[in-house]
Amino acid sequence: MKTSIATVSISGDLKEKLHAIAKAGFDGVEIFENDFLAFDESPRQVGQIVKDHGLEITLFQPFRDFEGMPEPLRSRTFDRAERKFDLMQEMGTDLVLVCSNVSSAALGGIDRAAADFFELGERAAKRGLRVGYEALAWGRHIHDHRDAWEIVRRADHPNIGLILDSFHTLSRKIDVNSIRSIPKEKIFIIQLADAPLIDMDLLYWSRHFRNMPGEGDLPVLDFMNAVAATGYDGYLSLEIFNDQFRGGSPAAIAVDGRRSLVYLGDQVRRAVSDSNLTLAPMPPRAEVEGVAFVEFTVDEAEISALSDRLRALGFRHVGRHKTKRVDVFRQRGINLVVNADQGGFAGASYALHGQSAYAMGLWVGDAQAALARAEALGAERFEQSLDPGEIEMPAIRGVGGGILYFLDRKSSLGRIWEIEFDPVEDSADWQPVGLTGVDHVAQTMKYEELLTWLLFYTAILDAHKTPMVDIIDPAGVVRSQVVENGPGTLRITLNGAENRNTLAGHFIAETFGSGIQHLAFATDDIFATATALSANGFTTLAISPNYYDDLEARFGLDPDFTERLKAHNILYDRDEHGEYFQLYSPTYGEGFFFEIVQRSGYRGYGAANAIFRIAALRRHLRPIGLPKR
Ligand code: MG
Ligand code: MG
C-alpha cells in the first residue's frame, strides 16, 4: 500500500511540508499549485527537493475549468494545459488532476466533455503525461463520479483516467457500489478525506472541515472497500482542507495522516480478503477489559497529603515497591499508584508538570499484541531501565507525553502487584466507601489535539467515538468527545480547550501540558458512598442550591429525593436508558479532581450538569490569570 498526501493538507512552506511528510513515512506527495507558486525555487529544483526527501510526486493539481468550454475560451484552456504540462515535466510528475468545471461559461454534454478529454489525452500522450478527471461535488454540470466515469469511458484514451475522492462521493451520498465496476487501470489515483457531519454548503464544508479518515463521520471505509473490490493497487492520497490543520504542527498532522491511512488499510485488509492493497499484517484492535491502574507522580513532600486523600476516598495502602519509592492503594479492582521515584520517567514528568496522573495501565487480552499494533500505527514505544526483579511492561507515549501501559492476565504482567510490591498493612482507620471500579478517565488537551487523540485511541483500541458535545464553561467552550467500548470497560473522555481561561484551559496552561484531569470512580449506591465519604472526613464539592430547584422542576422529582441529592451535593441526570448520579471532589493543585458516579443504564457523562460542576469547581481554584506562586 503506497501512501501520499497533498501539500495543502498541512502548514508550513513547501520545504517544511515535504520534510514533515517524508518524516511521517509517506511515499508520495501531491503538489498543490499554490504551494509551488509561493515557493522561490524553480520547478526542477522542487522536483529535486521532493526526490531528496525520498518522495515521489503523485500528481500536480488543480487544473480547473477545462471541459465543455465554448470558443474562444476552449482554445485558451488548451494553451493553459500545455503550460502546466511544461511545468509538470520539469517538476518530474506525469499526472495532473483536472477537476470538473465550475465556470458559468461551461457547456454541458457528456460527449462534448469526452471529446475535449480525448484531445487533451492526445496532447498529454505526446509528452508521456496522464490526466485524471475528478467530479467536484459542486461542479457545474458534473458533480457525480458516475458521470465523470462516463466521460472518461467515452473519451476512451489511455492517457485519460478517473480520480475518485471520497469526500466528493460521500458528501453527496452517492452509492459507493457504483465504483466496483470501474476497471482498476482507469482509476489513476484515490484521494481520501473524511469530515464531520455538518449540514452546510458543500464547497464550504469541503474547504474548511475535511479531516483524516476515521476522524470524521463519513463512511470512508465503505468507499475504500468498493475501491479495493476493483483490484486497485495504486496510491491512497490524503487531500485534507482543514483550517485547524493549516494552523497546526506540520509534523503532528502528517503523523496523524499516515496513521489514518494505515488504520484504513488494515480495516480494508480485514474486510476485502483479495485486496491488492498490501499492508503488513498487524494484530487486531486491542479489546480493553478495564483500567488496571492510574499512576500519580508526586514529590516526596506530597506523598502523605495525597495518601490521606486516597484513604478518605476509601482506598487502602496495600503495597510498596520492592526497589522504588512507589506505593499502591487499592479499593476493589481499582489500583492507584503513587510514584515519588526521582530517577525514572515519573521524576522527569514531575519536574515538567508537577503532581499529576501521568500514566495509566489498561487490561487487554494480549499486551504484546497491543504494543505491536500501536507501533505499526506509528505510536512511540516507551521503555525505561528496569531494576532486578522488575517486569517489562509494554507501553507507549500517550496524551501530553504521558504513558499508556498494556497489561494482560496471561503473562506475569497479571501478577505485577505480587511480583514487584511487598504487601503493606494499612493501619489508618478510614473505611471503604463502596467504589467498584473506574467509570471513566478524563483527559484534557488543547482543542487542536482532540482529533489526534481520538484517532490514536480508536485506531489502537477496540473502541468507538461518540458525537462531540460542547461543554459551556463561563470562560468559553470546551469540546468534549468520548472514546468508549461496547461493554463499558473503557471510557475515556477527551476535552479540548479552546482557550486558557476555561477550567480545562487553565489546567493545561498551569500543568504545562495535556493530561488526565479527572478520574471518575463507579459506585452501586451513591448515597451510601456519600455517607461513608463524609464519615471519612472527605469534602465533596458544594453545588449551588439553585441547581436543585431547577432539577426538581426539570425532571419532576420527588421533593424528598431532591433534598437527599442536595444534602450530599449529588448531581442528577437521566436519559432514555436510565439514571445517573455524580458527586465531585474539589480541585487539587491546578485543577485535578475526582468524581464518583452511579449509572443505572444511563449512557452519557452528565454533560447537562457540567456547567454547574464547572462553576462550583472554579470557586475552589485560585483566581485565573494570576502568576504562579
Ligand atoms: Mg480531490
Ligand atoms: Mg466526568
Side-chain angles (χ1 to χ4, degrees):
M1 195 180 87
K2 289 190 292 183
T3 58
S4 159
I5 184 170
T7 52
V8 74
S9 312
I10 59 176
S11 66
D13 71 16
L14 191 55
K15 250 187 188 146
E16 293 166 323
K17 288 176 190 230
L18 292 173
H19 180 72
I21 289 166
K23 196 148 182 277
F26 285 94
D27 308 293
V29 60
E30 291 183 21
I31 301 289
F32 250 70
E33 185 163 34
N34 280 346
D35 280 317
F36 162 70
L37 295 177
F39 195 58
D40 290 336
E41 307 286 353
S42 70
R44 203 170 293 279
Q45 276 161 319
V46 167
Q48 192 56 48
I49 296 170
V50 171
K51 270 208 198 87
D52 291 345
H53 279 94
L55 295 165
E56 182 181 17
I57 301 179
T58 47
L59 64 81
F60 179 75
Q61 76 141 317
F63 190 69
R64 298 183 194 280
D65 297 337
F66 164 72
E67 80 282 14
M69 285 304 210
E71 289 295 357
L73 293 173
R74 183 175 185 278
S75 299
R76 264 192 259 148
T77 59
F78 277 96
D79 292 345
R80 236 178 357 110
E82 295 284 359
R83 298 255 297 278
K84 297 302 170 201
F85 287 170
D86 294 341
L87 191 68
M88 287 165 59
Q89 286 185 298
E90 281 184 54
M91 218 180 261
T93 180
D94 74 335
L95 180 62
V96 63
L97 178 150
V98 175
C99 49
S100 59
N101 202 326
V102 299
S103 164
S104 56
L107 304 171
I110 295 265
D111 283 324
R112 184 196 315 273
D116 286 346
F117 273 106
F118 181 84
E119 184 176 337
L120 193 61
E122 287 289 285
R123 292 177 183 226
K126 282 190 192 131
R127 303 172 183 242
L129 302 179
R130 297 177 305 145
V131 176
Y133 183 40
E134 174 194 63
L136 294 177
W138 51 88
R140 184 160 180 85
H141 299 287
I142 302 301
H143 39 68
D144 183 322
H145 72 250
R146 292 169 295 195
D147 295 331
W149 163 232
E150 184 56 22
I151 287 167
V152 167
R153 201 184 64 78
R154 291 193 196 187
D156 192 21
H157 195 287
N159 296 60
I160 300 294
L162 186 67
I163 291 179
L164 293 168
D165 179 318
S166 63
F167 181 87
H168 294 299
T169 294
L170 298 172
S171 64
R172 294 192 75 106
K173 301 191 176 70
I174 296 165
D175 181 7
V176 294
N177 290 311
S178 56
I179 293 169
R180 291 174 186 264
S181 54
I182 301 172
K184 68 170 185 187
E185 65 277 8
K186 296 307 285 183
I187 303 174
F188 281 2
I189 201 164
I190 294 296
Q191 292 183 319
L192 292 167
D194 202 338
L197 279 183
I198 314 172
D199 192 15
M200 66 164 71
D201 171 67
L202 287 174
L203 176 57
Y204 197 79
W205 186 23
S206 173
R207 292 276 164 83
H208 301 274
F209 293 95
R210 286 185 177 212
N211 54 25
M212 307 297 178
E215 291 183 342
D217 303 316
L218 298 179
V220 181
L221 179 59
D222 294 347
F223 173 91
M224 259 321 294
N225 286 343
V227 168
T230 68
Y232 178 82
D233 59 359
Y235 270 100
L236 301 186
S237 189
L238 295 165
E239 189 197 28
I240 316 290
F241 306 92
N242 182 300
D243 297 346
Q244 198 182 307
F245 295 179
R246 274 184 283 225
S249 140
I253 301 299
V255 166
D256 286 354
R258 167 95 180 138
R259 174 172 296 152
S260 77
L261 289 180
V262 173
Y263 176 34
L264 186 64
D266 180 55
Q267 290 169 283
V268 172
R269 187 175 65 81
R270 290 168 198 282
V272 183
S273 54
D274 57 349
S275 162
N276 285 339
L277 296 165
T278 50
L279 180 75
M282 64 178 90
R285 295 195 300 165
E287 279 181 42
V288 177
E289 297 159 11
V291 175
F293 65 88
V294 174
E295 181 165 326
F296 295 86
T297 171
V298 296
D299 180 73
E300 189 73 32
E302 296 163 343
I303 295 178
S304 74
L306 179 59
S307 301
D308 284 351
R309 195 173 299 145
L310 298 182
R311 287 190 178 103
L313 274 164
F315 287 85
R316 312 293 293 179
H317 182 200
V318 296
R320 168 149 295 168
H321 197 274
K322 286 180 173 153
T323 57
K324 293 192 163 100
R325 191 76 180 89
V326 179
D327 294 293
V328 59
F329 290 76
R330 183 173 300 147
Q331 183 165 187
R332 297 274 285 269
I334 315 167
N335 290 291
L336 299 180
V337 176
V338 176
N339 190 334
D341 182 52
Q342 298 300 308
F345 184 79
S349 193
Y350 183 88
L352 194 60
H353 305 292
Q355 186 182 131
S356 60
Y358 80 107
M360 165 165 73
L362 298 177
W363 284 118
V364 295
D366 183 332
Q368 292 300 340
L371 175 66
R373 181 174 178 91
E375 286 197 282
L377 285 156
E380 191 187 333
R381 184 174 186 164
F382 171 76
E383 288 172 292
Q384 63 181 348
S385 59
L386 301 175
D387 286 344
E390 280 191 308
I391 307 173
E392 183 167 7
M393 194 180 287
I396 55 174
R397 299 298 290 267
V399 172
I403 311 297
L404 186 64
Y405 289 100
F406 298 117
L407 290 83
D408 58 33
R409 294 177 212 272
K410 67 185 198 185
S411 67
S412 54
L413 290 163
R415 292 182 295 113
I416 184 88
W417 310 119
E418 295 94 88
I419 296 170
E420 288 196 4
F421 290 78
D422 288 324
V424 171
E425 271 305 315
D426 194 338
S427 57
D429 60 357
W430 281 289
Q431 295 308 306
V433 305
L435 305 185
T436 58
V438 172
D439 182 86
H440 61 273
V441 175
Q443 293 187 313
T444 296
M445 58 206 60
K446 288 185 190 153
Y447 175 60
E448 55 263 34
E449 293 176 20
L450 190 60
L451 287 176
T452 296
W453 297 108
L454 276 175
L455 179 65
F456 172 88
Y457 282 123
T458 53
I460 297 170
L461 308 176
D462 185 7
H464 57 265
K465 59 185 184 336
T466 63
M468 190 177 284
V469 174
D470 289 345
I471 305 285
I472 307 303
D473 180 295
V477 175
V478 175
R479 297 185 198 280
S480 183
Q481 214 161 351
V482 179
V483 172
E484 59 180 23
N485 63 6
T489 46
L490 175 72
R491 294 190 180 104
I492 301 174
T493 62
L494 303 178
N495 301 303
E498 295 209 55
N499 75 56
R500 59 173 293 162
N501 298 326
T502 58
L503 188 73
H506 177 90
F507 172 75
I508 301 171
E510 296 301 309
T511 57
F512 301 98
S514 319
I516 297 176
Q517 189 173 8
H518 81 258
L519 269 181
F521 302 119
T523 173
D524 294 331
D525 184 344
I526 195 125
F527 292 104
T529 295
T531 305
L533 283 173
S534 106
N536 280 351
F538 187 89
T539 321
T540 54
L541 181 73
I543 303 296
S544 162
N546 298 337
Y547 166 78
Y548 294 97
D549 293 341
D550 173 67
L551 190 71
E552 194 172 296
R554 200 147 41 96
F555 290 106
L557 300 178
D558 182 82
D560 291 344
F561 180 67
T562 315
E563 272 313 308
R564 287 180 71 205
L565 293 173
K566 191 173 171 178
H568 293 292
N569 291 313
I570 296 170
L571 298 153
Y572 176 85
D573 195 21
R574 196 195 286 159
D575 66 11
E576 66 272 34
H577 307 288
E579 295 180 294
Y580 193 53
F581 302 85
Q582 306 167 271
L583 68 79
Y584 289 92
S585 75
T587 55
Y588 307 112
E590 305 302 345
F592 180 87
F593 55 94
F594 293 104
E595 178 183 6
I596 295 169
V597 307
Q598 181 188 339
R599 287 177 189 273
S600 329
Y602 177 91
R603 307 249 174 104
Y605 295 83
N609 289 329
I611 186 165
F612 307 104
R613 182 256 299 172
I614 290 166
L617 286 169
R618 289 178 81 96
R619 289 195 284 273
H620 287 262
L621 208 60
R622 65 190 172 72
I624 284 171
L626 290 181
K628 210 167 174 164
R629 289 176 299 267

